[in-house]
Amino acid sequence: MIRNIYILYEQGLEVLKPHIEDAVEQMMDCFPRHKANYPITTLGNWHSDKAEKMLPNGNILLEPYESVDWYIANAKLKAMEQNRWQTRGQISIDQLYTDLSSDPYCKKIPQWSVLVTKHDLYADGLNFCLGVSKENAFSIVSTARFIDRNNCLDVEGFKTVVMHEFGHLIGLTHEGRANTSEQLGSHCTNDGCIMQQRMDGDFRDITRVRLAAKKLYGLPPICSDCIESGEKFFTRQQAVYDYTHGILHGGRNT
Ligand SMILES: [Zn+2]
Ligand SMILES: [Zn+2]
């Protein structure tokens, strides 16, 4: 085992559990040599046993980093400061990114997280975001833009974005790669690949192609350039793992 992959989501999204798991699983299926080293565990609406603290006045304080609720509440607080919560009901993706980047659990034991929120996300200078990721660390995805007027979720469209963000987490479109462009971060330019960027947030075409390619030809959701990048990423991870563990054993034995 090299890294745990943890799936986290807000309360109310339990029904999406199998779909989020399947999306991550399908991406890991593209790397059969490495998949077993990265077990997927769903923690859902996770909180530790010290998530909440009762204040003398009877109010409940959410302890930083100790629950999904805290991450969401902090992103909402930022959105209130920036008047986005009041005007558009959005929460700050930048705050989520900052907080997940300094997660003490992850610092202690490196792990990958996929956090799904039902809130609409915004970033400075953008009306909305579907998600964001940090390589070798985490992905954040919102369901908000996939819910229609009848409160129905476009499950496959949402899954495409989970896969896309997870693809960033595993370094598929690193800067300087062939067949990538640099709009809102680095993206694949190959037709039919889910690592392409849609500036308008409309992943419906890409989702249709993804599903048809899988059904008709059993093809993976990412192109061969992306698979090649992923192979390099996982090989690097393995090398770092072997190196650090080799050193630790050496230190203990001598
Ligand atoms: Zn992207
Ligand atoms: Zn690609």
Side-chain angles (χ1 to χ4, degrees):
M1 206 272 286
I2 295 179
R3 285 270 189 289
N4 274 301
I5 303 173
Y6 292 124
I7 294 173
L8 304 149
Y9 44 77
E10 272 188 90
Q11 197 165 21
L13 298 180
E14 292 76 15
V15 69
L16 292 181
K17 177 179 188 277
H19 303 296
I20 304 166
E21 288 171 349
D22 185 49
V24 175
E25 188 108 27
Q26 282 193 48
M27 291 300 283
M28 291 306 294
D29 282 342
C30 300
F31 305 97
R33 287 198 305 127
H34 304 282
K35 193 185 170 194
N37 290 327
Y38 301 86
I40 301 167
T41 306
T42 298
L43 300 176
N45 186 33
W46 170 83
H47 55 86
S48 78
D49 50 9
K50 48 186 177 198
E52 294 180 350
K53 194 161 99 186
M54 176 84 89
L55 298 176
N57 64 8
N59 287 347
I60 301 281
L61 176 82
L62 293 174
E63 286 284 354
Y65 307 107
E66 299 296 334
S67 65
V68 171
D69 285 347
W70 176 79
Y71 280 99
I72 301 299
N74 216 32
K76 182 175 159 185
L77 213 59
K78 185 75 186 176
M80 290 174 90
E81 273 170 41
Q82 299 184 323
N83 207 34
R84 294 290 281 251
W85 175 257
Q86 298 88 328
T87 54
R88 303 178 59 129
Q90 295 177 309
I91 64 171
S92 166
I93 202 170
D94 296 326
Q95 190 63 47
L96 285 175
Y97 191 98
T98 303
D99 290 338
L100 280 165
S101 294
S102 48
D103 172 17
Y105 286 97
C106 192
K107 284 196 172 131
K108 211 149 80 184
I109 304 168
Q111 50 194 259
W112 296 342
S113 306
V114 177
L115 173 66
V116 181
T117 174
K118 59 191 173 194
H119 289 91
D120 198 22
L121 300 165
Y122 75 94
D124 285 344
L126 289 177
N127 279 339
F128 72 93
C129 301
L130 299 175
V132 73
S133 300
K134 185 175 184 182
E135 188 176 312
N136 198 13
F138 57 79
S139 295
I140 303 162
V141 181
S142 166
T143 59
R145 299 273 158 177
F146 297 94
I147 294 175
D148 68 16
R149 284 191 199 90
N150 303 317
N151 213 20
C152 285
L153 181 86
D154 167 11
V155 175
E156 292 300 338
F158 164 70
K159 278 173 76 175
T160 300
V161 175
V162 174
M163 291 169 154
H164 176 103
E165 290 306 333
F166 190 77
H168 285 309
L169 194 162
I170 56 172
L172 300 190
T173 56
H174 57 87
E175 277 166 38
R177 200 200 86 182
N179 300 321
T180 54
S181 77
E182 305 285 330
Q183 39 178 354
L184 286 181
S186 190
H187 284 92
C188 185
T189 56
N190 293 334
D191 273 349
C193 179
I194 59 154
M195 295 313 293
Q196 294 170 90
Q197 171 69 313
R198 291 302 310 253
M199 299 299 286
D200 56 3
D202 188 348
F203 275 84
R204 277 176 292 190
D205 283 345
I206 292 177
T207 299
R208 266 194 292 273
V209 172
R210 168 174 78 75
L211 292 171
K214 186 181 172 208
K215 195 169 167 209
L216 296 175
Y217 310 107
L219 288 174
I222 51 176
C223 71
S224 54
D225 283 330
C226 283
I227 289 181
E228 198 183 311
S229 297
E231 278 295 335
K232 281 187 192 145
F233 174 85
F234 282 113
T235 303
R236 231 166 26 240
Q237 292 290 318
Q238 180 79 55
V240 170
Y241 179 85
D242 292 347
Y243 179 75
T244 48
H245 284 73
I247 293 288
L248 284 175
H249 286 303
R252 258 189 234 121
N253 293 339
T254 51

